[in-house]
Amino acid sequence: MNESAIPALSDALKLEFGSLLLLDRLMSYESLRREREELEKTIATMEADLKDRKKGFFHSDEEEYAIETLKEDLRQARQALTEVESEQEQQAGNRLHVALAERDESGLEPLVKEMEHRGWLEIGEDDYFKVTEKGTDVYQHLLTQQQSYIAHFDVYAFVDLNEGVFADPENDLLEGDRWSDLRVAVAEFKGIDPYRVVFLSMLSSEVFFDDPDWKFNLAMGTLFNDLEGLTQQQLRVADLGYEDEEGEVLGAEVIEDVIAQGTELAQARAQEQRQRQIQFETPDEQIITTTYYW
């Protein structure tokens, strides 16, 4: 293994990543709140329109059809509102009250203060923190980062170095010693912070939130232990070097070839997704390097 170990996760990155995690959870509620408000406005408009259309005793067939269509649209909107309200109630636990100490969440205060200082959060009328317009912009950028990670790095999660092939997630058995995870090596070669790549991976799969006590672990500073350990255990560029009958092959040569093949494969998969209308635009890879605490 490469003797040059990846440095420990810095306090600055822990602060940034912790803030992004809180923002992600707060937006899970905030997005639903905004959706509910839009639905309520839509329903109010539809109800007023229906009331106006039903005036009078006689309606033409065309008017009756319009009324019945509007009734059905209104029914669907009300059903959507019920579903959003139910989901919003389930996400209520992700909210943060100003009285953090009373809710055994005082350890999150440094993160919350930093987010307030940066203009991501403000206190709402109900004494719960809410995401500001600036915070929403940061969150949207974070989502784009995750899309870029998936588009440009997911392909390197399972690589058969002996056969020189990439796993097909839909058909290959992704177990055993056959596959190597080269995402950290690729990030290292491209000059992208490996911790950021692994963070985006874990955030996209919501691994951080598997433990119901994730807030406590975040406050205690232990939530990123797995992130740090996992990142430091991955193969580095220097680990990929080998010798054959023609001499030494440097790890940099191996990863260059892997990246060339992986880029072509990722583009082909993106094209297939576009044809399926799953993904319309692939974010530029450079967005992954964005930091939020500058």
Side-chain angles (χ1 to χ4, degrees), residues 221-244:
T222 58
L223 186 65
F224 298 125
N225 287 353
D226 287 344
L227 164 67
E228 186 172 42
L230 180 63
T231 304
Q232 294 182 347
Q233 290 170 9
Q234 298 307 304
L235 291 170
R236 307 282 300 282
V237 172
D239 298 326
L240 304 178
Y242 64 92
E243 290 189 12
D244 58 17

Side-chain angles (χ1 to χ4, degrees), residues 191-214:
I192 298 174
D193 189 335
Y195 281 124
R196 192 167 300 278
V197 170
V198 177
F199 172 77
L200 290 171
S201 171
M202 296 177 73
L203 181 61
S204 297
S205 59
E206 298 197 341
V207 172
F208 291 115
F209 313 117
D210 286 344
D211 187 342
D213 294 326
W214 70 269

Side-chain angles (χ1 to χ4, degrees), residues 55-60 63-64:
K55 289 180 179 178
F57 294 100
F58 301 102
H59 303 99
S60 65
E63 289 173 331
E64 284 291 347

